[in-house]
Amino acid sequence: DAGVIQSPRHEVTEMGQEVTLRCKPISGHDYLFWYRQTMMRGLELLIYFNNNVPIDDSGMPEDRFSAKMPNASFSTLKIQPSEPRDSAVYFCASSLGAILPFFGQGTRLTVV
Amino acid sequence: KNEVEQSPQNLTAQEGEFITINCSYSVGISALHWLQQHPGGGIVSLFMLSSGKKKHGRLIATINIQEKHSSLHITASHPRDSAVYICAAPEGGGADGLTFGKGTHLIIQP
């Protein structure tokens, strides 16, 4: 398996634009997590899914953020409208039974 | 919500030294995670442990559930061990999303 695949690897966008980050989890994994990493706050959980169902989205900063998992092999994290303070590295991770997550390479988002 | 504290924040050591990184958490958990973040940014899960000790190569992780404390040890450290080591615990204590420590930035000098 190729591991968790995230796209794009880098994204630069202007403030106010919509940004969509994509994640393909490892086949067979039933948990999917979205994390954000900044210098100030470190790694933070945004939302996680179990069997495609959102379980906990309390980490989503505000209504500008939304995440979907339409099927077991794909998830998106959308920011609309984007703001400079959203600049961060966004990681997707998947696991089988919420143990030992496998992380994607991350998407480095810069909002100017 | 679980509060996860790590120490030290930064650690520089000479090749061959024995390294210890400490982690404490506030809420009882089912298991604790240790992660490694490479200089390039990639994150790798090293251990998930719920009791006792686990060993993988030169890495050893221990946990004391009663004291809510875990340690990561590196024996015979090598420059390629240079990375950020992050401790993480389930937010609610059970099987769910992780709360992370701030990480320990380890540099091993040749």
Side-chain angles (χ1 to χ4, degrees):
Chain A
D1 201 317
V4 177
I5 299 173
Q6 290 187 245
S7 64
R9 292 291 308 277
H10 302 274
E11 176 80 36
V12 180
T13 191
E14 291 186 347
M15 182 173 65
Q17 296 296 307
E18 177 180 296
V19 176
T20 299
L21 311 182
R22 297 173 175 79
C23 175
K24 177 179 167 50
I26 292 173
S27 177
H29 281 189
D30 56 350
Y31 280 81
L32 183 138
F33 306 86
W34 282 101
Y35 295 101
R36 179 173 68 175
Q37 185 176 38
T38 61
M39 289 293 292
M40 290 296 294
R41 300 171 68 91
L43 274 161
E44 302 173 285
L45 173 69
L46 297 176
I47 184 171
Y48 77 95
F49 297 82
N50 177 218
N51 292 322
N52 313 338
V53 176
I55 302 301
D56 182 359
D57 65 354
S58 59
M60 296 285 261
E62 47 200 271
D63 292 345
R64 297 184 298 106
F65 286 69
S66 62
K68 294 182 180 179
M69 193 165 185
N71 56 62
S73 59
F74 184 65
S75 177
T76 60
L77 177 68
K78 186 176 293 186
I79 309 172
Q80 164 66 16
S82 58
E83 297 182 3
R85 59 193 167 117
D86 302 330
S87 297
V89 181
Y90 291 81
F91 287 98
C92 174
S94 71
S95 67
L96 184 61
I99 62 171
L100 214 58
F102 288 80
F103 285 76
Q105 289 298 303
T107 294
R108 182 174 296 276
L109 173 65
T110 303
V111 183
V112 297
Chain B
K1 181 175 176 175
N2 224 328
E3 301 290 333
V4 180
E5 300 286 336
Q6 273 185 253
S7 63
Q9 285 190 328
N10 298 283
L11 179 57
T12 300
Q14 296 298 121
E15 184 174 355
E17 287 189 39
F18 182 82
I19 303 299
T20 296
I21 299 169
N22 295 302
C23 174
S24 61
Y25 51 92
S26 59
V27 176
I29 57 173
S30 56
L32 183 112
H33 297 249
W34 282 100
L35 311 169
Q36 179 192 55
Q37 187 164 27
H38 300 141
I43 297 175
V44 175
S45 289
L46 296 175
F47 296 103
M48 189 188 79
L49 67 165
S50 55
S51 65
K53 178 169 71 175
K54 284 192 175 181
K55 185 174 187 291
H56 182 68
R58 294 178 295 103
L59 299 177
I60 303 167
T62 64
I63 189 167
N64 185 319
I65 294 293
Q66 287 74 27
E67 295 186 2
K68 297 186 178 63
H69 180 269
S70 177
S71 294
L72 177 68
H73 307 284
I74 305 175
T75 62
S77 59
H78 189 276
R80 64 175 175 266
D81 297 325
S82 298
V84 177
Y85 293 85
I86 304 169
C87 166
E91 287 210 337
D96 47 22
L98 299 175
T99 296
F100 299 86
K102 296 295 186 192
T104 295
H105 190 188
L106 175 65
I107 297 173
I108 304 297
Q109 297 177 334

